[in-house]
């Protein structure tokens, strides 16, 4: 059973930067009416607005597919890069190497990530590149008109009646296995949870993988589908209730002992996890793997923050680069002086 | 001499009895993984230190240990260092190949070998110098592995004595080779002396070859092309290098990282670079392009198979107009091909890499000096032209050792291209990413992170208009593609011009080539002039797209040979495709060399001498 504390909150018109939500919008979406991806774009707009992110600091990266089109539909004042199929991770990595001050958000789909791009996904996660990696997961290839993807559940049915006989790839389970430092599963139909997870991802330093069930209203929203809105609503089992508490806000509301857990993220903000049926510790990697195995074996749609390790160094930390983004280095710091060339040449004599 | 007869290689011995000084090819036939590389380098450096022009080529297998390897050193008083077919001195250390190696020698050649291999029974027209290399090394140590290694240095001593290589040059080369390792230096010195002593006490010199000090290497250095490229990249301000290991390009980024660690760390120990070994070539080029997109001087290095994998991303780089530098150290294809042999087989595939209409700037270095120069210039071209820039080197240039004058420090500041800053935008208010405001086909760009609301644009490989908006409009598509073609014409006008050597008045015969064909062509020109009275003018390409000067060079000549180190005459095809009817009919003649070995001068001189030139010799 889901229990939710109803909290009516007035949306501020301007954030602490003095920007309005309008400043975080993008072009009008060209996706199908009701597409889960558009719901996710809306929550991205809200999360960036509420977290007071300066749009120009953001780089939006994507691969190919319906999901990968969406960076055009949010944060219009941020640079975007719609690259090639399955290769968003390398593009995100390269951009962050050049400019470590960027805030990178990558949008991918289940085809883009779990099939053609699985190798790059694996290595991005392994490296812990600072990136919010969103998988808009609908179990089908939309742009090519509805073929199964590798995240489609076993025995799920296409509209045509075709049945998927292969097991699904669980991207969250895989991410934890690979050493991911922020792994969450969510649902486009659960905006409150989603925005908290997105804000948590923004406060996290390394790779944040968000696998979001995002129904395809055209090709995979029928009875028999395990990626439809109805299926999602009927089957979502949040493992906890989530609140994001920014670093500058005091945690005021007190909960009874044992009723909640607070996880402090890299930038000082908190994620407050309120206990539901069981007390789940998302910092316990072993427990996370067990939970996800259980979810996969029993076809449970568990959502929430599955795993978090706020302190692991990012890929950029391991490279020991100078604080100035490499892209901003002036010539005197990039080109060693003539004496250096003389010395090197002498060593070859 | 008649035109059809084979010409001798330059400065070859006419009379065997007279001493032949400083004109020598040594080939060491061994097994890879046996540790002979240090000895070969000592031999090479010793000749270099004596002031004799010298070059070293390693013919090695795609294997870690146990397969045949041949290291060839050519010393030549006139400066010719192209591969030479004839071997004067064979050091036969590999029993697997010894019989074949000996069979391939020309009469009068010398064989130095492990006593007991009984190679002397094979032929009676060679000079045989057996030496118990292993036993001699056994005088120093009984430890098996070390003895094997030192046996390699014993043959350096044997050769040194037979050829009169200056002992102080050998000693200094050993010291340089084993820099700082006192015990190793002492052991190797001893091995060399033992080898030399053996010759003095047991062998009688029966061949005419000898070396003598010259002064041709004053100020010069010995370096491989990949190291030179890496240095060029570092002095070009390379800040992001992403790569995936592949022969023969791996040593480029490995050496780059070594240089960067030494010269691009700041006082606080922090780096002004990032070198990332990617999971494959797709990721390597994806990272490089994105880093270029975000404003870094980004590069990758690979070879043929990697180029094939990079194809899709490179098309994106072309169409979305993103700077990055891609080194292609060519090896023999197709497919895995001969991974440790050299070729110029990727001219067409690299030039037009990716689907749709694509054309790429390719720089064509012919020497280590040009590897250095193009190493830094490539970044300027990439950022100026906002496009991937390729540098087409090859295994022969990249992995072999060449003598060169010291490299010239860049003579101009970096060209970071057309980048608008936030300040620029505050003045102009807006910008269009893909508008040709200057008429040169090159648009302006902004970098991610630029603090201005109008700075952002959306980069995509799908159809876009001048504002970088998605469009499927046929007019916008054609406009963008036409502008890209215009940009390519701008590229044509700023890239390095061909180097032309022409007689006055110009000869009726010319040759066009590029890259590592250069030393063989230059040597062949002299041979043809001196031995057959044939003057051959020479145009060496240094970049693609082709310079219009190629047309001027071809015009008015009877025959122009187009030199290709590939089967399909790719350069010739490219000339025909680009210049079409503007080329006079029947003038271009293809000369192809594609057996995986570096080009030798005789292949060129024999071909030209055998042509029906209609001129007397």
């Amino acid at each position: 059973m889901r229990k939710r504390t109803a909290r009516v909150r007035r949306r501020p018109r301007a954030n602490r930067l003095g920007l309005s939500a309008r400043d975080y919008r993008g072009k009008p979406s060209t996706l199908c009416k009701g597409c889960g991806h558009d719901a996710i774009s809306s929550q991205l707009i809200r999360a960036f607005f509420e977290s007071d992110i300066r749009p120009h600091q953001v780089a939006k990266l994507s691969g190919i597919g319906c999901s990968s089109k969406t960076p055009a539909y949010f944060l219009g004042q941020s640079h975007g890069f719609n690259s090639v199929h399955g290769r968003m991770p390398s593009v995100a990595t390269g951009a962050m190497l050049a400019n470590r001050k960027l805030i990178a958000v990558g949008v991918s789909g289940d085809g883009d990530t779990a099939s053609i791009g699985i190798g790059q996904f694996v290595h991005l996660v392994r490296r812990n590149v600072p990136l919010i990696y969103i998988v808009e997961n609908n179990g089908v290839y939309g742009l090519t008109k509805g073929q199964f993807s590798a995240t489609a559940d076993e025995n799920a049915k296409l509209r045509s009646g075709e049945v998927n006989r292969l097991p699904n790839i669980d991207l969250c389970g895989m991410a934890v296995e690979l050493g991911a430092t922020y792994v969450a599963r969510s649902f486009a139909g659960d905006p409150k949870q989603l925005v908290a997870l997105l804000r948590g991802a923004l406060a996290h330093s390394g790779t944040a993988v968000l696998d979001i069930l995002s129904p395809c209203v055209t090709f995979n929203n029928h009875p028999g589908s395990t990626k439809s809105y109805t299926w999602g609503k009927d089957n979502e089992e949040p493992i906890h209730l989530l609140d994001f508490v920014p670093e500058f806000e005091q945690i005021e509301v007190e909960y009874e002992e044992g009723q909640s857990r607070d996880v402090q993220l890299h930038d000082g903000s908190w994620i407050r996890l309120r206990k539901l049926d069981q007390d789940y510790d998302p910092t316990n990697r072993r427990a996370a793997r067990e939970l996800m195995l259980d979810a996969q074996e029993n076809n449970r749609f568990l959502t929430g923050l599955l795993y978090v390790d706020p302190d692991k160094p990012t890929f950029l930390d391991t490279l020991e680069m100078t604080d100035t983004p490499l892209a901003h280095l002036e010539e005197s710091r990039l080109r060693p002086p003539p004496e250096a060339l003389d010395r090197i040449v002498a060593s070859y004599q | 001499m008649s035109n059809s007869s084979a010409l001798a290689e330059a400065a070859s011995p006419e009379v065997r009895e007279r001493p032949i000084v400083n004109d020598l090819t040594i080939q060491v036939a061994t097994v890879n993984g046996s540790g002979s590389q240090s000895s070969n380098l000592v031999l090479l450096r010793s000749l270099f230190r004596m002031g004799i022009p010298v070059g070293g080529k390693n013919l090695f297998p795609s294997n870690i240990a146990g397969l045949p390897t041949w290291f060839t050193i050519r010393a030549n008083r006139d400066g010719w260092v192209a591969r030479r077919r004839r071997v004067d001195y064979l050091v036969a250390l590999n029993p697997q190949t010894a019989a074949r190696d000996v069979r391939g020698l020309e009469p009068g050649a010398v064989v130095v070998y492990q006593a007991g291999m009984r190679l002397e029974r094979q032929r009676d027209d060679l000079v045989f110098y057996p030496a118990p290399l292993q036993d001699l090394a056994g005088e120093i140590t009984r430890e098996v592995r070390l003895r094997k290694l030192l046996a390699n240095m014993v043959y350096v001593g044997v050769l040194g004595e037979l050829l009169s290589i200056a002992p102080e040059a050998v000693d200094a080369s050993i010291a340089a080779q084993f820099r700082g390792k006192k015990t190793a230096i002492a052991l190797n010195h001893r091995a060399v002396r033992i080898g030399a002593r053996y010759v003095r006490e047991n062998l009688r010199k029966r061949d005419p070859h000898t070396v003598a000090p010259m002064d041709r290497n004053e100020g010069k250095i010995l370096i491989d092309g990949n190291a030179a490229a890496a240095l060029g990249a570092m002095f070009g301000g390379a800040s992001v290098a992403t790569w995936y290991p592949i022969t023969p390009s791996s040593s480029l980024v490995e050496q780059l990282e070594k240089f960067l660690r030494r010269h691009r760390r700041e006082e606080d120990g922090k780096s002004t670079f990032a070198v990332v070994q990617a999971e494959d070539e797709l990721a390597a080029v994806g990272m490089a392009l994105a880093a270029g997109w975000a404003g870094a001087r980004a590069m990758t290095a690979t070879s043929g198979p990697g180029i094939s994998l990079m194809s899709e991303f490179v098309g994106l780089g072309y169409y979305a107009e993103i700077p990055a530098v891609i080194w292609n150290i060519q090896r023999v294809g197709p497919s895995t091909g001969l991974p440790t042999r050299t070729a110029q087989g990727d001219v067409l595939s690299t030039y037009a890499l990716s689907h749709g209409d694509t054309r790429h700037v390719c720089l064509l270095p012919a020497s280590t000096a040009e590897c250095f120069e193009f190493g830094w210039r490539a970044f300027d071209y990439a950022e100026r032209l906002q496009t991937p820039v390729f540098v087409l080197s090859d295994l022969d240039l990249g992995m072999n050792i060449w003598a060169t004058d010291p490299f010239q420090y860049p003579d101009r500041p970096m060209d970071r291209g057309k980048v608008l800053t936030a300040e620029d935008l505050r003045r102009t208010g807006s910008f269009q990413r893909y508008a040709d405001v200057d008429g040169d086909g090159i648009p302006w760009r902004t970098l991610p992170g630029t603090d201005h609301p109008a700075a952002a644009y959306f980069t995509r490989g799908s159809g876009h208009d001048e504002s970088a908006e998605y469009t499927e409009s046929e007019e916008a598509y054609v406009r963008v593609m036409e502008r890209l073609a215009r940009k390519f014409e701008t590229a044509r006008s700023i890239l390095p011009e061909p180097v032309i050597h022409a007689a006055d008045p110009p000869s009726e015969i010319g040759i066009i080539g590029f890259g590592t064909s250069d030393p063989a062509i230059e040597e062949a020109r002299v041979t043809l002039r001196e031995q057959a009275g044939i003057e051959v003018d020479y145009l060496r390409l240094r970049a693609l797209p082709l310079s219009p000067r190629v047309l001027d060079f071809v015009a008015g000549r009877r025959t122009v040979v187009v030199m290709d180190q590939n089967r399909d005459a790719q350069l010739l095809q490219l000339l025909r495709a680009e210049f079409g009817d503007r080329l006079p009919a029947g003038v271009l003649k293809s000369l192809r060399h594609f057996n995986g070995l570096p080009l030798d001068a005789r292949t060129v001189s024999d071909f030209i001498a055998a042509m029906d030139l209609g001129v007397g010799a």
Side-chain angles (χ1 to χ4, degrees), chain B residues 272-320:
Chain B
T272 59
F273 65 88
V275 176
V276 175
Q277 185 183 322
E279 54 269 37
D280 53 33
E281 286 90 346
L282 288 78
V285 75
M287 290 177 195
L289 280 167
W293 173 75
R297 294 210 127 182
M299 64 177 283
T300 183
T302 188
S303 190
I307 290 289
S308 294
L309 286 173
M310 291 178 181
S311 167
E312 186 187 23
F313 251 128
V314 167
L316 171 74
Y318 172 81
Y319 192 37

Side-chain angles (χ1 to χ4, degrees), chain A residues 100-231:
Chain A
R100 59 181 309 166
K101 301 267 161 82
L102 293 174
I103 297 161
V105 54
V107 183
S108 180
D110 38 302
D112 199 55
T113 290
S115 287
I116 190 167
I118 192 104
Q120 295 213 344
F121 170 74
V122 165
H123 287 276
L124 176 109
V125 170
R126 171 179 175 243
R127 291 191 182 103
N128 200 27
V129 175
L131 169 74
I132 302 173
Y133 192 129
I134 293 168
V135 183
E136 301 186 336
N137 190 345
N138 55 21
V140 286
Y141 287 82
L143 271 183
T144 51
K145 304 208 181 300
Q147 301 81 1
F148 277 125
S149 81
T151 64
D153 295 307
E154 202 168 345
N155 298 322
K157 271 202 190 94
L158 281 185
R159 240 176 10 174
S160 63
E162 192 184 328
V163 176
N164 176 40
R165 299 290 180 205
L166 294 174
N168 71 330
I169 289 176
D170 175 14
L171 292 171
C172 288
M174 223 177 138
V176 172
E177 193 83 20
L178 293 164
T181 52
Y182 187 105
V183 181
R185 175 160 281 143
S186 191
F187 178 33
D190 188 350
K192 184 173 178 298
Q193 183 197 59
L194 181 53
V195 81
L197 287 170
L198 286 169
R199 294 194 64 188
L202 276 168
H204 180 66
S205 61
T207 306
V209 176
L210 281 82
D211 178 12
I212 307 167
L213 173 59
S214 177
C216 172
V217 291
T218 305
F219 295 107
N220 206 5
N221 203 30
H222 49 272
S225 158
T226 58
K227 294 278 191 276
S228 67
Y229 276 112
T230 314
W231 190 91

Side-chain angles (χ1 to χ4, degrees), chain A residues 6-21:
Chain A
R7 253 205 321 184
V8 184
R9 200 173 145 189
R10 259 199 25 225
R11 300 272 288 275
R13 279 196 205 147
N15 62 14
R16 295 199 308 153
L17 303 171
L19 297 174
S20 73

